[in-house]
Amino acid sequence: MENTGNFPTFVFVGVLILSCLSLVRSDASDHRYKDGEPVPLYANKVGPFHNPSETYRYFDLPFCSPDLVTEKKEALGEVLNGDRLVSAPYKLNFKEEKDSSVVCKKKLSKDEVAYFRKAVDKDYYFQMYYDDLPIWGFIGKVDKEGKTDPSEYKYFLFKNIQFDVLYNKDRVIEVNARMDPHSLVDLTEDKEVDAEFMYSVKWKETDTPFEKRMDKYSMSSSLPHHLEIHWFSIINSCVTVLLLTGFLATILMRVLKNDFIKYGQDEEAADDQEETGWKYIHGDVFRFPKYKSLFAACLGSGTQLFTLTVFIFMLALVGVFYPYNRGALFTALVVIYALTSGIAGYTATSFYCQLEGNNWVRNLLLTGCLFCGPLFLTFCFLNTVAIVYSATAALPFGTIVVIVLIWTLVTSPLLVLGGIAGKNSKAEFQAPCCTTKYPREIPPLPWYRSAIPQMAMAGFLPFSAIYIELYYIFASVWGHRIYTIYSILFIVFIILLIVTAFITVALTYFQLAAEDHEWWWRSFICGGSTGIFIYTYCLYYYYARSDMSGFMQTSFFFGYMACICYGFFLMLGTVGFRASLLFVRHIYRSIKCE
């Protein structure tokens, strides 16, 4: 087996742990307040409820704005998440109640009325943060009762917000916002309208400790009926996987046992019969693949993404990604991806040199661009779309500079260092059999043994093990559902890896038994084909399970999901190839190869 243990991965692990510990929000609110003391309230964003990527600054709508709008300093992950916190016009001092306090009186122009009406028609919601606790609410409502013609609908803007705040001694525990259904502004006609925006505040004491104030948001995904569905998903996946893999394992082990008995006969008897099956191609099975530089780069990128996924799960399981920890996931992805680039460089260059490649520098450049390149091009297009829409998803120039600096000063140097370490490892490819000078001709194969049918078979089984859980992940990433059951997700991930490895090994065996020795690329694309199934599920989810619409939301959904599924392709392809390589080495080591 190739030597992958020389690279000082413990250095990466140490740096990663220190970096990941810093992801826990240092500015998470743990304030104690005195009576009447101001508690920070920030308005974040507004947008169509069904289009989670299409969000705008709160004051892009003509609400009452304070005399001095101050922007909250935000971390990298918050900016990437589209958060743009600014001071809100409401004053919610600690334990200070208010009843219909006027924020401002405003005459809405025809254009402002039309703007609000359009927003109400699209189910615009607003989001605020009070002492780092999220507040949600709709800005208005559409009266459709008894009306079939859309031209008869009536549009109303809520003008009075009721804040209900729970406190425990000197700390804020919970906050809710209710819109007064009787205090409305009619937006139906294109005419100037007088609006008086008000708010009320009610305080109530609670016994809930401060440490458990976030449990309310976690519990939504831990309700009994949700847990039942999740566990049904796990049990269904496990049963399906056990039955199918058990069936395949039984067949495979029985066939292999017979093969070993047949191939283990004494050489004199073996000389009298012509070799057939996978032993027949022992002189070609370890022939290096075509496009070895690209193949090594795929393995390097896939290994890095696998490492990234494992570290993200570690952080999730220790509770870093608690609900509304704004931007923590995006920060973790950027930091860990940058710090693991050395793993990609080492794996790719080391394997490339084992494949007797000469131009390791080009291989290293290819590794660095293989995943980042498509992601960068996708980002450029989608960021341009967000700029045209004036959405908060458009990254400020300063944030883009920070990301470029991280890539230049951290990712690239670590990639190069990893590549140099991989080149100097001087590991040799361990092949149990010698490779002949000229390759054997592959016999004609039936259509179902070609690459595409094999990919379909290889991708379907792993996908069937995760598709139930996929809905909840999509509803969280591309909706407003909160997902916190990371332990179940981790179990599903382990099942995915096991099934991918097993089905790829099985297909590799059947390919070799048919005397087709070009298994290197086939095992990779068969392992990664689950990513194609996930992208196909994206189409189903968009049209059948969501209400997303509009060019911006559609392009964001399909653009970024294409990058995610491409990442899954590389990661699972690496898992499939590594499993197949172990298997192929094992079976050829167990027979006598001349």
Side-chain angles (χ1 to χ4, degrees):
M1 185 180 297
E2 66 272 12
N3 185 0
T4 58
N6 294 336
F7 190 66
T9 52
F10 63 88
V11 175
F12 282 115
V13 173
V15 174
L16 281 170
I17 291 173
L18 291 173
S19 303
C20 294
L21 288 173
S22 69
L23 293 175
V24 183
R25 285 180 59 84
S26 58
D27 62 334
S29 182
D30 187 13
H31 294 120
R32 298 174 184 271
Y33 300 99
K34 298 177 182 177
D35 291 3
E37 184 180 348
V39 181
L41 173 64
Y42 293 101
N44 187 13
K45 53 192 176 185
V46 295
F49 182 75
H50 298 295
N51 289 356
S53 301
E54 187 183 345
T55 54
Y56 305 94
R57 293 176 180 270
Y58 182 81
F59 291 114
D60 282 354
L61 289 176
F63 288 116
C64 294
S65 59
D67 297 330
L68 180 63
V69 177
T70 56
E71 295 190 2
K72 184 178 183 297
K73 188 177 180 181
E74 293 170 318
L76 173 64
E78 292 176 298
V79 179
L80 293 174
N81 195 40
D83 293 326
R84 303 291 185 270
L85 276 68
V86 295
S87 53
Y90 310 103
K91 305 299 179 186
L92 276 66
N93 296 342
F94 192 70
K95 293 172 66 174
E96 191 175 286
E97 297 199 348
K98 295 185 178 181
D99 186 21
S100 299
S101 178
V102 177
V103 181
C104 76
K105 296 180 180 179
K106 189 173 185 179
K107 181 181 274 300
L108 299 176
S109 65
K110 289 183 180 180
D111 290 339
E112 290 175 331
V113 168
Y115 200 3
F116 267 129
R117 184 171 62 244
K118 181 181 177 183
V120 170
D121 185 46
K122 290 185 175 181
D123 287 330
Y124 265 51
Y125 69 95
F126 67 84
Q127 186 189 47
M128 299 182 184
Y129 281 93
Y130 182 63
D131 194 46
D132 264 345
L133 291 171
I135 306 172
W136 294 73
F138 286 98
I139 68 167
K141 68 174 186 178
V142 183
D143 181 12
K144 302 179 181 179
E145 191 174 350
K147 304 175 181 68
T148 55
D149 187 359
S151 62
E152 297 177 355
Y153 293 167
K154 290 189 173 295
Y155 300 88
F156 298 99
L157 177 71
F158 295 124
K159 63 177 184 177
N160 191 356
I161 303 180
Q162 169 76 52
F163 294 99
D164 297 312
V165 190
L166 301 182
Y167 69 95
N168 186 344
K169 296 179 181 177
D170 54 359
R171 285 167 157 177
V172 176
I173 302 299
E174 185 179 329
V175 61
N176 295 295
R178 293 182 291 114
M179 316 308 290
D180 186 349
H182 305 295
S183 183
L184 304 168
V185 177
D186 192 344
L187 305 171
T188 308
E189 298 179 13
D190 277 326
K191 64 178 183 180
E192 293 185 347
V193 176
D194 290 318
E196 186 178 45
F197 293 96
M198 300 173 290
Y199 70 106
S200 304
V201 187
K202 301 293 182 187
W203 289 82
K204 185 178 179 181
E205 193 165 8
T206 180
D207 296 329
T208 305
F210 178 82
E211 292 74 21
K212 294 188 176 181
R213 71 175 192 163
M214 283 294 180
D215 289 359
K216 165 190 172 183
Y217 308 103
S218 318
M219 286 171 60
S220 63
S221 61
S222 304
L223 293 173
H225 64 281
H226 281 279
L227 280 175
E228 285 176 9
I229 296 172
H230 285 290
W231 282 115
F232 171 76
S233 163
I234 293 290
I235 294 168
N236 174 64
S237 300
C238 286
V239 170
T240 306
V241 167
L242 285 173
L243 287 174
L244 290 171
T245 53
F247 175 69
L248 282 171
T250 304
I251 294 176
L252 206 55
M253 294 309 294
R254 181 170 294 179
V255 170
L256 274 175
K257 185 179 178 182
N258 293 335
D259 286 348
F260 287 144
I261 291 172
K262 183 174 70 174
Y263 296 148
Q265 294 172 350
D266 61 85
E267 294 180 2
E268 291 181 5
D271 288 338
D272 295 335
Q273 59 186 17
E274 186 181 351
E275 287 182 344
T276 57
W278 53 268
K279 187 185 177 186
Y280 179 66
I281 56 170
H282 65 80
D284 296 277
V285 74
F286 292 106
R287 190 179 304 281
F288 297 147
K290 299 176 182 176
Y291 314 112
K292 60 180 72 173
S293 182
L294 177 61
F295 189 78
C298 288
L299 287 181
S301 296
T303 305
Q304 180 187 7
L305 292 171
F306 177 76
T307 309
L308 169 68
T309 306
V310 170
F311 272 101
I312 290 295
F313 269 116
M314 288 170 57
L315 291 177
L317 292 172
V318 299
V320 171
F321 306 131
Y322 59 83
Y324 298 107
N325 185 3
R326 295 189 304 273
L329 178 60
F330 287 102
T331 305
L333 288 170
V334 171
V335 171
I336 297 175
Y337 184 83
L339 292 175
T340 53
S341 60
I343 295 174
Y346 176 81
T347 306
T349 307
S350 173
F351 199 80
Y352 179 66
C353 291
Q354 289 177 42
L355 298 182
E356 300 175 0
N358 299 318
N359 197 339
W360 68 275
V361 175
R362 186 180 66 181
N363 173 251
L364 201 59
L365 290 172
L366 183 60
T367 305
C369 298
L370 193 66
F371 182 73
C372 282
L375 181 63
F376 176 73
L377 293 175
T378 304
F379 162 76
C380 289
F381 171 72
L382 296 179
N383 201 59
T384 304
V385 172
I387 290 171
V388 171
Y389 274 73
S390 300
T392 59
L395 295 189
F397 179 73
T399 304
I400 296 175
V401 170
V402 169
I403 293 174
V404 170
L405 287 175
I406 290 173
W407 191 85
T408 306
L409 302 178
V410 180
T411 307
S412 298
L414 287 177
L415 182 74
V416 172
L417 288 174
I420 293 172
K423 175 181 176 292
N424 294 334
S425 65
K426 300 190 185 303
E428 293 184 2
F429 187 80
Q430 301 297 319
C433 303
C434 296
T435 302
T436 57
K437 188 174 183 180
Y438 300 105
R440 291 181 186 268
E441 185 178 351
I442 298 171
L445 299 173
W447 65 270
Y448 56 84
R449 288 191 181 275
S450 60
I452 294 177
Q454 296 279 296
M455 287 174 67
M457 285 189 279
F460 177 75
L461 185 57
F463 176 76
S464 66
I466 64 169
Y467 82 98
I468 295 178
E469 206 64 26
L470 271 182
Y471 168 75
Y472 290 95
I473 299 169
F474 274 59
S476 174
V477 176
W478 300 105
H480 303 286
R481 188 188 293 270
I482 299 170
Y483 192 98
T484 57
I485 318 177
Y486 299 113
S487 54
I488 290 180
L489 188 60
F490 185 64
I491 294 171
V492 171
F493 178 67
I494 296 297
I495 292 172
L496 174 65
L497 295 180
I498 293 171
V499 180
T500 300
F502 192 88
I503 193 70
T504 310
V505 164
L507 290 174
T508 299
Y509 170 77
F510 294 131
Q511 182 182 356
L512 296 177
E515 300 177 9
D516 180 358
H517 54 79
E518 295 180 348
W519 62 275
W520 299 68
W521 274 110
R522 180 73 63 85
S523 64
F524 188 93
I525 62 175
C526 283
S529 59
T530 306
I532 300 172
F533 275 80
I534 296 174
Y535 199 67
T536 305
Y537 179 82
C538 293
L539 296 168
Y540 164 76
Y541 181 84
Y542 182 85
Y543 290 107
R545 303 301 295 270
S546 79
D547 294 312
M548 291 184 277
S549 60
F551 177 74
M552 178 181 169
Q553 182 61 47
T554 304
S555 58
F556 264 69
F557 178 75
F558 287 108
Y560 281 127
M561 281 311 303
C563 293
I564 292 171
C565 293
Y566 174 53
F568 264 93
F569 177 83
L570 293 173
M571 180 180 71
L572 295 177
T574 300
V575 171
F577 169 74
R578 290 291 184 185
S580 296
L581 182 60
L582 285 172
F583 170 76
V584 172
R585 278 177 173 158
H586 173 73
I587 63 172
Y588 281 95
R589 196 176 283 123
S590 303
I591 62 169
K592 296 177 182 177
C593 297
E594 295 178 3

